[in-house]
């Protein structure tokens, strides 16, 4: 709603620490600021410093507010900026995130925004905001089917009993076990689903990075089971220029990557990336390397540097054997730029929701390799939705762009 139709409102925006959340939250903040409203975008200093540059005309409407993450001995120095953490360290990161409660409460007490837009992890936030008279919305930037809670692993391997429409979207048993393993075993004792349940119960509206054109059933179900308005925002396909993480020496990086892509045949390269939170086990990692080697196709593999776990060694002689045909990239990659290059012809993805949207917006065939959280569901939803039609590439592009009226 444009501000001139109503008075301008002030929204505090508080995403989870991974860039798969931060980027869509920042995109949404820009759309809202564009309508004449004021934003306080809150995250840790390192994440704020790495945000893509704001468009000059919005910089006065979007305040970037830094809130230092409490230091936890078990966490590497810049854990939230790189997400190069795994297993128990993710639990420690969520404990550190919970340690932001006092600082965020002070920010809200001082600035008194009209609304706060928050993410799945801040289970403690709704009562704090309600106590200050601040209205609350939860921005669900994962697939709508990822938010339906269950109570034990086996419940996850079939669609929930309250789903009345035909679907095969459910977890594999190993994915369901991961969810429970990430829950009771972790330091804070909260599983992601516990956090999700608390933030949904505590909000007055759910904004969803989704659109009825992609699939209406889960969105409608969300409203029915949570008895709250669900506002689909569309799939929010980002613009390349709005996506570039700053101060990572981007221009030189992109130039070197582009030169290699330019040397490959059109549509020949498989782009391989597992988002900002996934750390494969050493065995999974080696299997992925052998798979790429045996495929015989050119590839660009974004390889997560892992801290605090077993060394992730590539099979001996791997890089020599694939030299010239495959690139192993060991730091943050300009993903959107790479996906936009004409030499890329396929995307092997962990099925993080942002990566799926980005793969679909360029009409790339997706090779789905889900690992955790909602990724298994995202994989099944995409397969269920985009393989039905004859020309799924065109349909995928159309759905993504129609979703936000692009
Ligand atoms: C939403 C949810 O949060 C997490 O997202 P995660 O960061 O892992 O993955 P994406 O959602 O693809 O988001 C990753 C984002 O980082 C960008 N990127 C990543 C790596 C890189 O080297 N360069 C980049 O530009 C990428 O373009 C995308 O925008 C969980 O997985 C969850 O499953 C997912 O649905």
């Amino acid at each position: 709603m444009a501000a001139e139709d109503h008075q301008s409102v002030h929204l505090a925006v508080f995403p989870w620490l991974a860039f798969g959340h931060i980027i869509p939250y920042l995109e949404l903040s820009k759309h809202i600021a564009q309508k004449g409203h004021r934003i306080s975008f809150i995250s840790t200093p390192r994440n704020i410093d790495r945000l893509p540059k704001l468009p000059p005309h919005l910089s006065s409407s979007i305040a970037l507010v830094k809130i230092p993450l409490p230091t936890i001995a078990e966490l590497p120095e810049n854990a939230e900026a790189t997400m190069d953490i795994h297993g128990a360290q993710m639990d420690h990161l969520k404990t550190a995130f919970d340690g932001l409660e006092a600082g965020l409460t002070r920010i809200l007490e001082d600035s008194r925004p009209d609304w706060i837009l928050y993410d799945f992890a801040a289970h403690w936030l709704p009562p704090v905001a309600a106590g200050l008279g601040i209205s609350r919305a939860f921005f669900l930037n994962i697939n709508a089917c990822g938010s339906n809670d269950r109570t034990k692993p086996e419940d996850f391997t079939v669609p929930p009993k309250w789903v009345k429409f035909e679907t095969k979207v459910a977890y594999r048993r190993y994915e369901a076990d991961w969810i429970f393993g990430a829950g009771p075993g972790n330091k804070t004792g909260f599983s992601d689903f516990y956090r999700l349940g608390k933030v949904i119960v505590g909000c007055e509206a759910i904004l969803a990075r989704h659109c009825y054109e992609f699939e209406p059933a889960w969105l409608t179900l969300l409203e029915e089971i949570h008895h709250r308005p669900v506002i689909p925002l569309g799939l929010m396909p980002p613009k390349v220029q709005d996506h570039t993480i700053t101060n990572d020496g981007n221009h030189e990086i992109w130039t070197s990557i582009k030169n290699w892509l330019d040397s490959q045949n059109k549509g020949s390269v498989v782009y391989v990336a597992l988002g900002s939170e996934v750390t494969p086990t050493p065995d999974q990692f080696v299997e992925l390397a052998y798979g790429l080697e045996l495929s015989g196709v050119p590839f660009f593999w974004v390889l997560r540097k892992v801290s605090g776990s077993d060394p992730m060694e590539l099979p001996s002689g791997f890089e020599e054997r694939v030299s010239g045909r495959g690139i192993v990239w060991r730091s943050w990659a300009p993903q959107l730029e790479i996906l936009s290059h004409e030499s890329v012809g396929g995307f092997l993805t962990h099925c993080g929701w942002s990566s799926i949207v980005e793969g679909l917006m360029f009409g790339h065939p997706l090779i789905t390799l889900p690992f955790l959280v909602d990724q298994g569901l995202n994989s099944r939803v995409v397969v269920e939705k985009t393989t039905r039609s004859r020309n799924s590439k065109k349909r995928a592009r159309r759905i993504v762009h129609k979703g936000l009226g692009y």
Side-chain angles (χ1 to χ4, degrees), residues 87-98:
Q89 286 179 319
M90 180 56 89
D91 305 329
H92 293 305
L93 184 62
K94 286 179 182 157
T95 303
F97 179 82
D98 292 341

PDB file of all heavy atoms in Angstrom, residues 87-98:
ATOM      1  N   GLY A  87      26.577 -28.844  11.773  1.00  0.00           N
ATOM      2  CA  GLY A  87      26.043 -29.624  12.894  1.00  0.00           C
ATOM      3  C   GLY A  87      25.899 -28.819  14.175  1.00  0.00           C
ATOM      4  O   GLY A  87      25.194 -27.819  14.218  1.00  0.00           O
ATOM      5  N   ALA A  88      26.658 -29.251  15.190  1.00  0.00           N
ATOM      6  CA  ALA A  88      26.486 -28.652  16.527  1.00  0.00           C
ATOM      7  C   ALA A  88      26.806 -27.160  16.488  1.00  0.00           C
ATOM      8  O   ALA A  88      26.233 -26.365  17.217  1.00  0.00           O
ATOM      9  CB  ALA A  88      27.416 -29.348  17.513  1.00  0.00           C
ATOM     10  N   GLN A  89      27.701 -26.744  15.562  1.00  0.00           N
ATOM     11  CA  GLN A  89      28.021 -25.309  15.533  1.00  0.00           C
ATOM     12  C   GLN A  89      26.793 -24.499  15.112  1.00  0.00           C
ATOM     13  O   GLN A  89      26.602 -23.373  15.545  1.00  0.00           O
ATOM     14  CB  GLN A  89      29.171 -25.048  14.558  1.00  0.00           C
ATOM     15  CG  GLN A  89      30.515 -25.501  15.101  1.00  0.00           C
ATOM     16  CD  GLN A  89      31.622 -25.264  14.107  1.00  0.00           C
ATOM     17  OE1 GLN A  89      31.446 -25.493  12.919  1.00  0.00           O
ATOM     18  NE2 GLN A  89      32.753 -24.799  14.569  1.00  0.00           N
ATOM     19  N   MET A  90      25.918 -25.090  14.272  1.00  0.00           N
ATOM     20  CA  MET A  90      24.695 -24.364  13.881  1.00  0.00           C
ATOM     21  C   MET A  90      23.830 -24.171  15.135  1.00  0.00           C
ATOM     22  O   MET A  90      23.219 -23.127  15.342  1.00  0.00           O
ATOM     23  CB  MET A  90      23.930 -25.140  12.816  1.00  0.00           C
ATOM     24  CG  MET A  90      22.658 -24.450  12.351  1.00  0.00           C
ATOM     25  SD  MET A  90      22.941 -22.790  11.731  1.00  0.00           S
ATOM     26  CE  MET A  90      23.270 -23.143  10.012  1.00  0.00           C
ATOM     27  N   ASP A  91      23.854 -25.150  16.008  1.00  0.00           N
ATOM     28  CA  ASP A  91      23.092 -25.000  17.263  1.00  0.00           C
ATOM     29  C   ASP A  91      23.692 -23.870  18.096  1.00  0.00           C
ATOM     30  O   ASP A  91      22.973 -23.062  18.683  1.00  0.00           O
ATOM     31  CB  ASP A  91      23.135 -26.303  18.070  1.00  0.00           C
ATOM     32  CG  ASP A  91      22.631 -27.479  17.237  1.00  0.00           C
ATOM     33  OD1 ASP A  91      21.758 -27.238  16.384  1.00  0.00           O
ATOM     34  OD2 ASP A  91      23.155 -28.584  17.393  1.00  0.00           O
ATOM     35  N   HIS A  92      25.032 -23.803  18.107  1.00  0.00           N
ATOM     36  CA  HIS A  92      25.659 -22.714  18.879  1.00  0.00           C
ATOM     37  C   HIS A  92      25.324 -21.363  18.243  1.00  0.00           C
ATOM     38  O   HIS A  92      25.095 -20.368  18.934  1.00  0.00           O
ATOM     39  CB  HIS A  92      27.183 -22.900  18.915  1.00  0.00           C
ATOM     40  CG  HIS A  92      27.614 -24.106  19.694  1.00  0.00           C
ATOM     41  ND1 HIS A  92      27.229 -24.326  21.005  1.00  0.00           N
ATOM     42  CD2 HIS A  92      28.388 -25.175  19.347  1.00  0.00           C
ATOM     43  CE1 HIS A  92      27.749 -25.472  21.443  1.00  0.00           C
ATOM     44  NE2 HIS A  92      28.453 -26.004  20.447  1.00  0.00           N
ATOM     45  N   LEU A  93      25.245 -21.340  16.904  1.00  0.00           N
ATOM     46  CA  LEU A  93      24.906 -20.076  16.233  1.00  0.00           C
ATOM     47  C   LEU A  93      23.486 -19.646  16.614  1.00  0.00           C
ATOM     48  O   LEU A  93      23.214 -18.464  16.850  1.00  0.00           O
ATOM     49  CB  LEU A  93      25.027 -20.224  14.713  1.00  0.00           C
ATOM     50  CG  LEU A  93      24.780 -18.935  13.915  1.00  0.00           C
ATOM     51  CD1 LEU A  93      25.819 -17.865  14.273  1.00  0.00           C
ATOM     52  CD2 LEU A  93      24.814 -19.201  12.412  1.00  0.00           C
ATOM     53  N   LYS A  94      22.590 -20.615  16.733  1.00  0.00           N
ATOM     54  CA  LYS A  94      21.209 -20.269  17.116  1.00  0.00           C
ATOM     55  C   LYS A  94      21.163 -19.807  18.571  1.00  0.00           C
ATOM     56  O   LYS A  94      20.405 -18.907  18.929  1.00  0.00           O
ATOM     57  CB  LYS A  94      20.273 -21.450  16.844  1.00  0.00           C
ATOM     58  CG  LYS A  94      20.026 -21.580  15.342  1.00  0.00           C
ATOM     59  CD  LYS A  94      19.152 -22.704  14.939  1.00  0.00           C
ATOM     60  CE  LYS A  94      19.052 -22.737  13.402  1.00  0.00           C
ATOM     61  NZ  LYS A  94      18.697 -24.060  12.905  1.00  0.00           N
ATOM     62  N   THR A  95      22.039 -20.365  19.400  1.00  0.00           N
ATOM     63  CA  THR A  95      22.124 -19.879  20.788  1.00  0.00           C
ATOM     64  C   THR A  95      22.628 -18.440  20.803  1.00  0.00           C
ATOM     65  O   THR A  95      22.091 -17.568  21.488  1.00  0.00           O
ATOM     66  CB  THR A  95      23.092 -20.779  21.591  1.00  0.00           C
ATOM     67  OG1 THR A  95      22.621 -22.129  21.511  1.00  0.00           O
ATOM     68  CG2 THR A  95      23.169 -20.342  23.049  1.00  0.00           C
ATOM     69  N   ALA A  96      23.641 -18.191  19.973  1.00  0.00           N
ATOM     70  CA  ALA A  96      24.167 -16.810  19.895  1.00  0.00           C
ATOM     71  C   ALA A  96      23.072 -15.884  19.378  1.00  0.00           C
ATOM     72  O   ALA A  96      22.860 -14.776  19.882  1.00  0.00           O
ATOM     73  CB  ALA A  96      25.384 -16.778  18.960  1.00  0.00           C
ATOM     74  N   PHE A  97      22.334 -16.371  18.367  1.00  0.00           N
ATOM     75  CA  PHE A  97      21.229 -15.566  17.801  1.00  0.00           C
ATOM     76  C   PHE A  97      20.206 -15.252  18.896  1.00  0.00           C
ATOM     77  O   PHE A  97      19.723 -14.124  19.016  1.00  0.00           O
ATOM     78  CB  PHE A  97      20.576 -16.343  16.662  1.00  0.00           C
ATOM     79  CG  PHE A  97      19.408 -15.646  16.008  1.00  0.00           C
ATOM     80  CD1 PHE A  97      19.617 -14.688  15.028  1.00  0.00           C
ATOM     81  CD2 PHE A  97      18.111 -15.936  16.401  1.00  0.00           C
ATOM     82  CE1 PHE A  97      18.540 -14.036  14.425  1.00  0.00           C
ATOM     83  CE2 PHE A  97      17.029 -15.281  15.805  1.00  0.00           C
ATOM     84  CZ  PHE A  97      17.242 -14.334  14.813  1.00  0.00           C
ATOM     85  N   ASP A  98      19.911 -16.233  19.743  1.00  0.00           N
ATOM     86  CA  ASP A  98      18.947 -16.002  20.840  1.00  0.00           C
ATOM     87  C   ASP A  98      19.501 -14.962  21.815  1.00  0.00           C
ATOM     88  O   ASP A  98      18.764 -14.244  22.478  1.00  0.00           O
ATOM     89  CB  ASP A  98      18.648 -17.315  21.577  1.00  0.00           C
ATOM     90  CG  ASP A  98      17.863 -18.291  20.708  1.00  0.00           C
ATOM     91  OD1 ASP A  98      17.252 -17.839  19.710  1.00  0.00           O
ATOM     92  OD2 ASP A  98      17.901 -19.504  20.993  1.00  0.00           O
TER      93      ASP A  98
END
